[in-house]
Amino acid sequence: MQMRLLRAVGWSLAAVLAVLGVAVFLLVLTLKKDAALPTRNKYGLVFDAGSTHTALYIYRWPADKENGTGIVSQVEACTVSGPGISSYADKPAEAGASLKPCLDKAMKIVPAEQQRATPTYLGATAGMRLLREQNSTKAEQVLAEVAKAIGQYPVDFRGARILTGNEEGSFGWITVNYLLETLIKCSFTGKWTHPPAEVVVGALDLGGASTQITFLPGTTIDDSSTKALLRLYGTNYSIYTHSYLCYGEKQALKMLMASLHQDSQTPQQISHPCYPKGYQENVSTADLYDSPCVHAPSTPSPAQNLTVTGTGDPTACGTAIEKLFNFSCGANRTCGFNGVYQPPVRGQFFAFSGLYHSLHFLNLTGGQSLSLVNATIGQFCTSSWEKVQKEFPTMNRTHLRDTCAASTYALALLLQGYKFNHKTWLNIHFVRQVANVDVGWTLGYMLNLTNMIPSETPQRVVGLQRSNWIVATVLLAIMLILIFGLLTVICCQKNSGYESL
Ligand SMILES: *[C@@H]1O[C@H](CO)[C@@H](O)[C@H](O)[C@H]1NC(C)=O
Ligand SMILES: *[C@@H]1O[C@H](CO)[C@@H](O)[C@H](O)[C@H]1NC(C)=O
Ligand SMILES: *[C@@H]1O[C@H](CO)[C@@H](O)[C@H](O)[C@H]1NC(C)=O
Ligand SMILES: *[C@@H]1O[C@H](CO)[C@@H](O)[C@H](O)[C@H]1NC(C)=O
Ligand SMILES: *[C@@H]1O[C@H](CO)[C@@H](O)[C@H](O)[C@H]1NC(C)=O
């Protein structure tokens, strides 16, 4: 009997050891598999073909979390050298060729085995809208050439197209709210919560050829052409959005120059109050009147050269810029400008791209009061060309020349155009990036076209993680040990039973 009992104990010990062995093996296996296969990443590429330049954004996100929010990161923003694609209207093939260095860079970043599954888009904005207005054949040719160039790369290319102004505004709004996690938030317990509507922010975007304002108004939107209905994460948003074509920075400064020319007493001389005193340059009327945004004088004169002289006069500069806007508005409604309906601004706003850049150079993006902003711009505008060049020797000359005009324009757009005031000014946050991602329409565009923002609240939060696997394996082992222990006890009792017989 002693022997049998010993044998039984021996067997069960062996069994327990075997189970432990299997458990350890499983554990090691899962750990090893986790190490060899880190959370798989997905990539997405979006070309932002703007009026002044093109940039390629490379995004990455963990494949198992794609329905969450705030999980997309920006790996790279590659600036295409040369002008915007609309500038290649007369040599479209070069527009395609210009994209290649950035595509080559992307192919180095996206792992080879992921490339064919990488959604790739090209979206063109106001520069191409203007070209299409001038000659739609040329716009089509440019788009065909850039599509051909991207098509030569082993990516999942999903087309090159011109965004509407409303799309540009809406996607910018989606981008900033996605990055701020103001639409939906995943708490640390893994539960999805909808933050209150008041935390949703508005978006203010200033490009080279257009500007967009997009926000959640407190009232109903009277003009359906400015309304966008979005269903995101199970919530409906009725947002106001409008894009003003020609009111991007570059086109606005062109309109300013044309307006100064037409008001000029001396036909071949332009006194420019927004250019620094002592600055002088020649421009041709052909260059000045080459855009659909500027209206050529009613009595066309042969192409001529004009001499532009800076006078550095901030008051005259502000007055000249205000003349670019038409502030009359029909009765019973509130307007932005040029008769476009706009509800009063409401809540916090994030201002990016040109609005950020024009004020950042003057160190005015840190929440300064409006009076300080006004004073700083006024002071810069009175500085002579000689002085600003000495003060900022490394700064690009064109940027330096345009700083006064651009910052004065940005301020006029926000205050007189979009109707911010001394109080609501402090609700505008000037940013280039949020969560290390450049703010613009591209991320929102990709999120929408890849269905990464579900219209309903996501169900599953995270998959089984490595720690869960370990816990599961250990629990399984303990369970097996208990079962074997139990079996041993039963077996021994049975044996002792026979013995007593
Ligand atoms: C994301 O949502 C879509 C549709 O709602 C679903 O088909 C997909 O499986 C989800 N993906 C993940 C990783 O949860
Ligand atoms: C538009 O461009 C095409 C191709 O360059 C040219 O043949 C056509 O004459 C242009 N049309 C207009 C209206 O300028
Ligand atoms: C301003 O807009 C109104 C309509 O909104 C129009 O009647 C008026 O002619 C415009 N003024 C100028 C100077 O363009
Ligand atoms: C902005 O601040 C930096 C550092 O504080 C300074 O070097 C620069 O001159 C400032 N720029 C202007 C336009 O005042
Ligand atoms: C995003 O995509 C859906 C279809 O997937 C579409 O119905 C919706 O209007 C899009 N959102 C925007 C802002 O275009």
Side-chain angles (χ1 to χ4, degrees):
M1 184 204 146
Q2 280 289 335
M3 279 297 281
R4 282 199 186 166
L5 189 62
L6 267 178
R7 204 189 296 152
V9 169
W11 273 110
S12 27
L13 256 177
V16 166
L17 284 178
V19 169
L20 266 177
V22 169
V24 167
F25 173 76
L26 275 175
L27 207 116
V28 168
L29 201 75
T30 50
L31 282 180
K32 221 173 142 191
K33 212 173 88 191
D34 270 13
L37 265 182
T39 324
R40 212 163 64 86
N41 283 322
K42 283 192 180 178
Y43 292 82
L45 308 178
V46 188
F47 276 103
D48 174 356
S51 60
T52 56
H53 76 282
T54 301
L56 171 60
Y57 293 95
I58 304 177
Y59 298 111
R60 183 177 62 202
W61 61 94
D64 61 340
K65 291 187 189 164
E66 67 181 358
N67 289 345
T69 178
I71 48 107
V72 174
S73 57
Q74 177 178 310
V75 189
E76 178 79 38
C78 178
T79 304
V80 171
S81 58
I85 59 170
S86 53
S87 310
Y88 294 99
D90 296 320
K91 37 186 179 173
E94 287 179 34
S98 74
L99 307 183
K100 292 196 170 163
C102 280
L103 281 162
D104 290 336
K105 194 168 195 177
M107 294 303 101
K108 290 207 182 82
I109 291 170
V110 180
E113 69 276 11
Q114 295 271 88
Q115 289 171 0
R116 292 206 179 273
T118 297
T120 302
Y121 305 91
L122 183 141
T125 51
M128 287 294 285
R129 272 175 231 140
L130 289 174
L131 177 61
R132 184 174 56 190
E133 219 169 83
Q134 282 179 308
N135 185 328
S136 59
T137 313
K138 285 185 180 177
E140 290 304 326
Q141 281 172 348
V142 169
L143 285 178
E145 287 295 334
V146 294
K148 204 171 95 188
I150 303 171
Q152 285 162 0
Y153 285 77
V155 292
D156 177 11
F157 179 48
R158 302 191 185 173
R161 56 178 288 262
I162 302 175
L163 269 68
T164 65
N166 279 14
E167 286 176 316
E168 198 180 350
S170 303
F171 291 132
W173 181 90
I174 290 176
T175 299
V176 62
N177 283 293
Y178 174 87
L179 293 172
L180 292 168
E181 298 189 82
T182 43
L183 303 174
I184 197 166
K185 209 172 166 65
C186 183
S187 68
F188 64 92
T189 55
K191 235 180 84 136
W192 293 105
T193 54
H194 286 280
E198 297 79 63
V199 306
V200 174
V201 303
L204 301 164
D205 185 1
L206 176 62
S210 70
T211 176
Q212 288 75 237
I213 175 168
T214 309
F215 63 100
L216 210 49
T219 56
T220 53
I221 298 165
D222 292 344
D223 178 349
S224 63
S225 71
T226 61
K227 184 157 73 177
L229 289 169
L230 309 175
R231 184 168 177 82
L232 313 168
Y233 304 111
T235 303
N236 289 328
Y237 298 92
S238 174
I239 58 175
Y240 168 84
T241 184
H242 187 74
S243 175
Y244 291 89
L245 192 60
C246 294
Y247 284 80
E249 185 180 301
K250 194 175 157 215
Q251 292 299 326
L253 297 194
K254 197 162 232 190
M255 291 194 284
L256 173 64
M257 183 79 89
S259 154
L260 292 168
H261 177 226
Q262 283 165 35
D263 289 350
S264 176
Q265 308 299 325
T266 47
Q268 301 199 27
Q269 305 279 332
I270 301 177
S271 290
H272 202 312
C274 309
Y275 281 0
K277 206 178 291 170
Y279 177 87
Q280 199 168 67
E281 70 173 11
N282 291 325
V283 295
S284 72
T285 48
D287 284 344
L288 182 52
Y289 293 106
D290 68 348
S291 157
C293 296
V294 292
H295 305 289
S298 40
T299 49
S301 49
Q304 34 176 234
N305 266 323
L306 309 170
T307 304
V308 185
T309 310
T311 60
D313 179 346
T315 312
C317 173
T319 309
I321 283 176
E322 273 169 41
K323 278 176 65 187
L324 304 177
F325 302 93
N326 179 348
F327 295 119
S328 66
C329 180
N332 296 330
R333 58 195 234 145
T334 51
C335 288
F337 54 93
N338 294 0
V340 174
Y341 163 77
Q342 182 201 303
V345 291
R346 172 175 173 258
Q348 304 293 310
F349 280 80
F350 273 55
F352 43 93
S353 46
L355 289 170
Y356 171 83
H357 292 294
S358 60
L359 295 185
H360 182 68
F361 175 64
L362 297 174
N363 293 333
L364 294 174
T365 50
Q368 283 83 0
S369 70
L370 187 53
S371 44
L372 179 60
V373 170
N374 264 320
T376 309
I377 293 175
Q379 196 186 4
F380 186 91
C381 286
T382 49
S383 305
S384 73
W385 181 233
E386 200 185 350
K387 180 171 173 245
V388 295
Q389 276 185 303
K390 243 189 222 135
E391 215 170 320
F392 306 99
T394 55
M395 188 71 181
N396 166 307
R397 273 173 64 94
T398 309
H399 277 269
L400 211 47
R401 175 198 71 191
D402 288 342
T403 292
C404 168
S407 52
T408 307
Y409 175 68
L411 213 57
L413 178 67
L414 291 172
L415 299 175
Q416 280 95 341
Y418 294 150
K419 311 287 185 283
F420 284 90
N421 58 32
H422 264 91
K423 239 172 95 186
T424 51
W425 169 262
L426 295 169
N427 295 342
I428 309 176
H429 309 274
F430 294 89
V431 296
R432 184 171 75 90
Q433 293 193 318
V434 170
N436 295 318
V437 176
D438 290 26
V439 182
W441 58 265
T442 53
L443 177 59
Y445 188 63
M446 183 189 77
L447 292 172
N448 188 266
L449 293 181
T450 54
N451 289 318
M452 271 167 69
I453 296 191
S455 52
E456 301 308 324
T457 309
Q459 295 301 318
R460 204 168 58 93
V461 177
V462 279
L464 270 187
Q465 283 179 347
R466 180 204 271 179
S467 53
N468 300 23
W469 274 111
I470 295 173
V471 170
T473 312
V474 169
L475 278 180
L476 193 79
I478 292 173
M479 236 172 61
L480 286 174
I481 291 167
L482 283 179
I483 288 170
F484 267 89
L486 214 70
L487 279 177
T488 316
V489 169
I490 291 169
C491 153
C492 290
Q493 269 175 356
K494 239 177 167 179
N495 281 350
S496 52
Y498 280 124
E499 208 69 15
S500 64
L501 264 175

